[in-house]
Amino acid sequence: MLGSRTTLDWPDGEERFPTSVCMDCAVRRDSLCGTLAGEDLIMLHKLGRRRRLRRGESIAWAGEESRGCANVLSGILKVSALTADGREQIVGLLYPSDFVGQPFVGSFEFTVTALGDAEICTFRKSDFEGFLSTRNGMTQALLRRTFDTLSDARKRMLLLGRQSASERIADFLLQTFERIGGYSASANGPVTFDLPLSRGAIADVLGLTIETVSRQMTKLKMAGVIALPGGRAVTILKRDALRRMADAA
Amino acid sequence: MLGSRTTLDWPDGEERFPTSVCMDCAVRRDSLCGTLAGEDLIMLHKLGRRRRLRRGESIAWAGEESRGCANVLSGILKVSALTADGREQIVGLLYPSDFVGQPFVGSFEFTVTALGDAEICTFRKSDFEGFLSTRNGMTQALLRRTFDTLSDARKRMLLLGRQSASERIADFLLQTFERIGGYSASANGPVTFDLPLSRGAIADVLGLTIETVSRQMTKLKMAGVIALPGGRAVTILKRDALRRMADAA
DNA sequence: CGCCCATTTGATCGAAGTCAAGGAACGTGG
DNA sequence: CCACGTTCCTTGACTTCGATCAAATGGGCG
């Protein structure tokens, strides 16, 4: 949904062995740092610190005045906004290799929380800004990512403002499959994968309630469009039907 | 709502007189070009072309593969997304000095349309990319703007996903006032201004119908929170009441 | 003046929310 | 290994907010 594609595999060849720099990083290929090499990579590496997050833990600097930014190494995080009385809307999901934070901007008015255990590579905002300032290529890469994130947010605004519950669910299932499920052999064959989000989190992404999400999933199951083998697993049986439901009526 | 503040006044002093470059541009101070001076400004000026848009006219390059980008000089534009069956959601509003377009990104999946007559300063995307590539400061400035736009979109996702019709209207009135009305002498005194959007456009911004927008406005009028002097004019009588309604219940 | 448009108002309907209860899955400790 | 508690998910009954359908009102302009 946000930014570029996910890869959890290790890079091949000699990069596989841990070294003092980022050569053993699982997301090096796809993360923002992927634009760097040699000396630059070593310099950025010195500015970064790995950090583990437990399920439910929020990144401390989000919302505060002193802040940082980070790359997601593993796990999935949510970016969420809250109303004064506690209603929540998830405004973005962060997968491995995604970037979090807003260099050069004073405030960040959202909360970033790990949906499961996760690992991130954090930087002090000022350090990161200094680094970007002499690397136009990396600034450009971040700009490109940010435009992608913006387009994603805008598409979801259409979803939230104008689409029905069943359209939202269909869209979510397809999007999630494309993001984590990769591409199956046959373009329309059945595919099974685990949803990385609880029903509650799905509801918070789609602007619905848990009950509505559950009912819509049951409806899709009854219609033979999906199967629910148990746990968070989903099997998409009729991908084209789902696609038709996702846009239109 | 999007990006930086609006200024329609002319710059002071010698800049007031039209010259061959951008010295007479109404939005030079606040637009992205504001980061430029001297030689750079002249170079960018050579790449740009002014263009008038009539009310309802869409920017031709939006949605197409070959594209451009632009600064808004006057008027207000909408950025909108459509479902297959024609439902519309306005995902952004562009005021004078705002920037449109996504350099370094392949596709732009939204439509940009003038809400009234408008003027923009357009660039070929490739030209603009080339120009940015050697100006890290301007790339940074664009990045900053894009983060602001993203935060705005995310706040509106909370609005669309989790807030009631009355909260949406209250929020919209305050936001619009802050954007176009400027700040009044007394922080809480009554203020009058013209809404730059029709009821229909407001509905498309807020994910509601025309009728609901109208009814909510009437309700606010009856409650003595606002007055509707006629046309598109609104008077905010109890700004704090409106603020309270905008967030919470 | 009369037409065209935007807006308001009214009556009704339906999709999703709310409230409430029951069931399945999972981890922990006895 | 099982009993227990917790958390998540499903299902049911009812309510409500906003959408829809329809009509009336008002304002600007040729």
Side-chain angles (χ1 to χ4, degrees):
Chain A
M1 298 183 161
L2 295 168
S4 59
R5 201 160 304 138
T6 305
T7 299
L8 283 170
D9 313 289
W10 293 92
D12 353 309
E14 72 290 302
E15 293 184 2
R16 162 146 206 164
F17 303 100
T19 70
S20 60
V21 272
C22 309
M23 293 312 180
D24 64 327
C25 176
V27 300
R28 188 161 109 67
R29 283 273 176 78
D30 297 311
S31 75
L32 187 56
C33 326
T35 53
L36 299 177
E39 197 60 34
D40 278 351
L41 192 58
I42 295 171
M43 285 192 63
L44 184 60
H45 173 258
K46 284 179 185 156
L47 301 175
R49 276 192 24 183
R50 287 205 175 203
R51 188 172 152 197
R52 284 180 178 286
L53 296 172
R54 302 235 132 264
R55 163 198 169 78
E57 191 176 351
S58 291
I59 298 183
W61 42 260
E64 297 171 13
E65 200 43 47
S66 61
R67 283 167 330 286
C69 46
N71 284 308
V72 179
L73 301 179
S74 67
I76 297 180
L77 317 194
K78 67 177 179 184
V79 182
S80 54
L82 297 167
T83 60
D85 60 341
R87 285 165 285 169
E88 176 173 359
Q89 176 65 47
I90 295 181
V91 298
L93 290 174
L94 299 165
Y95 289 86
S97 84
D98 283 341
F99 179 84
V100 215
Q102 305 198 331
F104 306 118
V105 174
S107 66
F108 187 70
E109 298 147 278
F110 306 93
T111 303
V112 178
T113 310
L115 287 172
D117 292 353
E119 269 182 310
I120 59 178
C121 181
T122 67
F123 303 90
R124 286 203 348 239
K125 186 162 156 275
S126 54
D127 288 346
F128 203 81
E129 287 169 355
F131 189 84
L132 277 180
S133 290
T134 56
R135 272 91 178 173
N136 201 357
M138 195 165 170
T139 309
Q140 238 176 64
L142 180 55
L143 180 61
R144 216 177 300 123
R145 267 170 199 267
T146 307
F147 277 135
D148 285 346
T149 308
L150 176 60
S151 287
D152 188 77
R154 286 173 159 175
K155 278 179 222 153
R156 201 171 281 118
M157 283 174 72
L158 175 63
L159 194 90
L160 294 172
R162 295 297 187 205
Q163 309 212 183
S164 68
S166 57
E167 291 171 311
R168 298 183 201 199
I169 295 289
D171 185 283
F172 177 80
L173 289 175
L174 287 170
Q175 292 265 45
T176 304
F177 165 64
E178 273 159 27
R179 179 86 208 211
I180 68 154
Y183 299 89
S184 68
S186 53
N188 265 315
V191 283
T192 301
F193 58 100
D194 272 346
L195 293 174
L197 277 67
S198 70
R199 295 288 188 270
I202 295 173
D204 287 338
V205 168
L206 300 180
L208 300 170
T209 58
I210 289 188
E211 295 94 324
T212 300
V213 171
S214 184
R215 275 187 254 268
Q216 292 295 335
M217 300 278 270
T218 307
K219 216 168 92 185
L220 286 176
K221 187 177 70 181
M222 293 313 174
V225 176
I226 63 171
L228 299 171
R232 289 187 182 167
V234 189
T235 304
I236 299 182
L237 297 169
K238 300 180 183 169
R239 218 186 304 180
D240 49 348
L242 216 47
R243 252 188 240 110
R244 252 177 283 117
M245 301 179 67
D247 202 90
Chain B
M1 300 185 158
L2 295 169
S4 62
R5 202 160 302 137
T6 304
T7 300
L8 284 170
D9 314 287
W10 294 92
D12 352 310
E14 72 291 303
E15 292 183 2
R16 161 144 207 165
F17 304 100
T19 70
S20 60
V21 272
C22 309
M23 293 311 181
D24 64 328
C25 176
V27 300
R28 189 162 110 66
R29 282 275 177 76
D30 297 311
S31 75
L32 187 57
C33 327
T35 53
L36 298 177
E39 196 60 34
D40 279 351
L41 191 58
I42 295 171
M43 285 192 64
L44 184 59
H45 173 258
K46 285 178 185 157
L47 301 176
R49 273 192 26 184
R50 286 205 178 205
R51 186 170 156 201
R52 284 180 178 287
L53 296 172
R54 304 233 132 265
R55 164 199 168 80
E57 191 176 351
S58 291
I59 298 182
W61 44 259
E64 298 170 14
E65 199 45 46
S66 62
R67 282 169 332 288
C69 46
N71 284 307
V72 179
L73 301 178
S74 67
I76 297 181
L77 317 194
K78 67 176 179 183
V79 182
S80 53
L82 296 166
T83 60
D85 60 340
R87 285 165 285 169
E88 176 174 359
Q89 177 66 46
I90 295 181
V91 298
L93 290 173
L94 299 165
Y95 289 86
S97 85
D98 282 341
F99 178 84
V100 215
Q102 306 199 330
F104 306 118
V105 174
S107 67
F108 187 69
E109 298 147 278
F110 306 94
T111 303
V112 178
T113 310
L115 286 173
D117 292 353
E119 269 181 309
I120 59 178
C121 181
T122 66
F123 303 90
R124 288 206 343 242
K125 187 163 156 273
S126 54
D127 287 346
F128 203 82
E129 287 170 354
F131 189 84
L132 275 180
S133 290
T134 56
R135 273 90 177 172
N136 200 358
M138 196 164 168
T139 309
Q140 239 174 63
L142 180 55
L143 180 61
R144 219 177 297 123
R145 266 170 199 268
T146 307
F147 278 135
D148 285 346
T149 308
L150 177 60
S151 287
D152 188 76
R154 286 172 160 177
K155 280 179 219 152
R156 201 171 280 118
M157 285 174 72
L158 176 62
L159 194 90
L160 294 172
R162 294 298 187 204
Q163 309 211 185
S164 69
S166 58
E167 290 171 313
R168 297 183 202 201
I169 294 288
D171 186 284
F172 177 80
L173 290 174
L174 287 170
Q175 292 266 45
T176 304
F177 165 65
E178 274 159 27
R179 179 84 207 212
I180 68 154
Y183 299 89
S184 69
S186 52
N188 265 315
V191 283
T192 302
F193 59 101
D194 272 347
L195 293 174
L197 277 66
S198 70
R199 294 288 188 270
I202 295 172
D204 287 338
V205 169
L206 299 180
L208 301 170
T209 58
I210 291 187
E211 294 95 323
T212 300
V213 172
S214 183
R215 274 187 254 269
Q216 292 295 335
M217 301 278 269
T218 308
K219 217 167 94 186
L220 286 175
K221 188 176 70 179
M222 293 312 174
V225 175
I226 63 170
L228 299 170
R232 288 187 183 169
V234 190
T235 305
I236 299 181
L237 298 169
K238 300 180 184 167
R239 216 185 307 179
D240 49 348
L242 216 48
R243 250 187 242 109
R244 251 177 284 116
M245 299 178 67
D247 200 272

